[in-house]
Amino acid sequence: MTTTQMNYFIEVIVPLSLPKTFTYRVSEQEFYFIKKGMRIAVPFGKNKIYTALVVDLHNNEPKLYEAKEIDQILDNFPVVNQIQINHWFWIASYYMCSIGDVYKGALPSALLLESETIISKLDANEMDKNSLSDEEYLIYEALQCQNSLKIKDIVGILNKKTILPVIQKLISKNIISVQEEIQTTYKPKLAKYIRLADEFRIDSNLALLLSNLKSEKRKTILLKYFQLEAQEHKPVSIKEIVESTNSSTAILKSLIEKKIFEEYYIQSDRVNFEENKIDSSIVLSEAQEIALKDIDIVFETKDVCLLHGVTSSGKTEIYISLIENYIKNGKQVLFLLPEIALTTQLVARLTKFFGNKVAVYHSKYSNNERVEVWNNVLNNSETSQIIIGTRSSLFLPFSNLGLIIVDEEHENTFKQQDPAPRYHARDAAIVLANAHQSKVLLGSATPSIETYYKTTINKFGLVSLNERFGNVQMPIIELVDLKDCYFRKKMNGHFSEVLLNEIKQAFENNEQVILFQNRRGFSPILECHTCGNVPQCQQCDVSLTYHKYKNQLRCHYCGYSMAKPTNCHACSSIDLITKGFGTEQIELELASLFPQKNIKRMDQDTTRGKYSFEKIIDSFKNREIDVLVGTQMLAKGLDFDNVTLVGIMNADNMLYYPDFRAYERSFQMMTQVAGRSGRSKKRGKVIIQTYNPLNNVIQQVTNNDYIGMYSEQLYERKIYFYPPFYRLIKLTLKHRDFENLNKGSLWLCQVMKQNLNMPILGPEEPAIGKIRNEYIRTIMIKLPDEISLQSTKKTIQKILNSFDLVSQYRSIKVAVNVDFN
Ligand code: ADP
Ligand code: ZN
Ligand code: ZN
């Protein structure tokens, strides 16, 4: 017998922006141990070690380079499954980025150790030092004197090369952590409230109680309680009653001990959970019941269903009932949310029904926590049957996914902008679900035009829910004509008389108010103070943006520009103003009008701190805030039960945002904000201040006419070459050298135009033409639906490759954004 020398290789992804996989040599023994989806430490470049992922095993020696040997096998079993690997390659190909970028974005960084990774010890862990191996102890010791260490430095400490497994062990023992911003787990403040025990709600018992109470101090508290309850019609907090009666908590405590008062928390959901009282009794309304049945029927023939339910129709309750069916059958469920801030409310609602089957996964979670969730999902553990998360939870190692819910599917935060992979979580979720043969439910009160369109061509099913839960009517929407109000001097700052009166009314009823002022956008627009006209581009359906330093009005889509006019083209008035007032100004004006009220602001400036968003939401929920002034953050799916008035300060600046989605987004935003009003019992009111009360979108919001908005926008999308009829691929070029960038982007755009038979716009200078000293140009490719995506992308990639070969342009960075949103 002759023995032939066999060669054994593995194919791996490295976590770098490189478009291909790499081949490493392994021994025969290793070859038979390694499985796809295991992590391997590999040397790469000069003296660097990375955590790579095995995607294939084979016997083909690479022709172009000498295959290096691996450093170390990191796993005993796969931590990534084949469905994930396929999905990641799909993302790389569809969104035109490298597989390394996807891999890097998919794994928690604690699973992606490399020689440059910095580790630090976790504090004050009760830990048994005897449980550490000698090597683990050495690292532990080293971290006692130095706060942090680079992994490559540990090579010296242990005096050996293969150290990643030791580090991995220490991470799993919660002794060290990959360095990152300090993460803390948010615990909402549970304000304590009291209420009279049921027994004393009967008058005769109460009279008896009052005459029996000996202590004057106790009597004072009781009387104050009645006074507060009668005056304010809102929960009485312990703090409030103790302060207003000048008594001590001890006296109040004694009343609670005597069972005259009961203590309770406003965030009662959480408390229920802590007491392990899982409340699994949802009674759906008739309309909800029908919707749920209809979803099931859709799922018999289709994989994706849109639940179009008006605000406060109780979509969450429908989701819960649906989830129940899937986990009963042992399936995993993924619940995608557009925003981390929304998870708190949802977790509270879901744990109430599913107890500890719910796990949360998002980027504000610490690395170690993320690894824990990753492993739980991998093991299909009981504690992570339901994952609530933001877009990155799409990358978890699901093996048995039954259902993906994408709530608020219209939100553009589902699309990752930077860095690559620039994927859309909703769309990638549909592809993932397909691989699992599972179902997708998209939910929204204001679906994206793309999604709704797909229901009309029978790609997705559609279930509509047109009534609010509990027979609450949709809010009354009243338009206030700002032009008229300014003319008749019925304005107080930015507040119309109508709005101010409504605010006063709400205060009188002890109800809360939300004021919405959207200041999105950078350079302000030019608006006629007399007629409200905003100059529009002649060739595109967008308004022109005022560029101050060039004194120009410009279209960001076709590049059309004109000198800033001296008078209005519509009415010839010379009273042209640059528009722009923000939430801060509203907050200040209101504070001076109502100095005794608690007015808070919620926008990017006030929610920058960790959990500041949740804190504001909590105290608004607890009714410590009377008026919340905010930006589009308020338009997300928040549920407050005491808000009866929503004011939209100026509807117009949303409408004239230079973007083909401006009308769609304005409709969504206004409808969503309006939907915060009157969610329980009392019918809500919405005041929209505008210069254009007759504008179609504003009329559509007022009449709750989604279909009207949809049809009109769909028509515009068609004639102006936008989605869903055309796919947008946006190229963004950046360079520090203005001239070189100009030349390079012209060259690239020209070549694209020569080789692609479709509308291509650009190169354009975006409104923010320079960021961090880099100049920016964009090129927009509009790909008709009927032209092959595959071959077009191939051509684009080829052109990009040849662009890279021009030495002068090589240093220009090009970012590709497929399905630019
Ligand atoms: P949406 O997400 O559709 O805007 P939510 O799911 O937030 O609406 O529901 C609005 C309110 O109605 C919530 O406070 C919710 O708890 C309540 N609700 C909805 N359906 C039910 C139900 N079947 N039983 C009890 N409360 C419900
Ligand atoms: Zn005018
Ligand atoms: Zn234009």
Side-chain angles (χ1 to χ4, degrees), residues 37-96:
M38 284 188 185
R39 293 169 310 139
I40 311 284
V42 298
F44 196 90
K46 273 191 215 134
N47 300 322
K48 289 230 172 116
I49 301 284
Y50 287 100
T51 296
L53 186 77
V54 182
V55 292
D56 206 3
L57 297 115
H58 57 80
N59 308 105
N60 314 321
E61 184 150 14
K63 296 196 175 64
L64 297 175
Y65 56 94
E66 177 77 20
K68 286 185 191 169
E69 280 172 17
I70 64 167
D71 199 57
Q72 180 81 20
I73 301 171
L74 295 174
D75 295 314
N76 289 319
F77 48 83
V79 294
V80 170
N81 62 43
Q82 191 61 47
I83 292 181
Q84 289 173 282
I85 294 174
N86 296 347
H87 190 229
W88 298 355
F89 275 104
W90 175 83
I91 289 179
S93 144
Y94 185 87
Y95 292 104
M96 298 182 75

Side-chain angles (χ1 to χ4, degrees), residues 537 540 555 558:
C537 176
C540 313
C555 170
C558 66

Side-chain angles (χ1 to χ4, degrees), residues 528 530-533 568 570-571 573:
C528 172
T530 312
C531 77
N533 178 60
C568 173
C571 76
S573 160

Side-chain angles (χ1 to χ4, degrees), residues 283-284 288 310-317 349 469 639 679:
V283 185
L284 294 184
Q288 287 173 324
V310 296
T311 53
S312 206
S313 54
K315 292 185 284 295
T316 319
E317 268 69 19
R349 283 171 81 174
F469 176 75
D639 186 31
R679 290 171 73 87

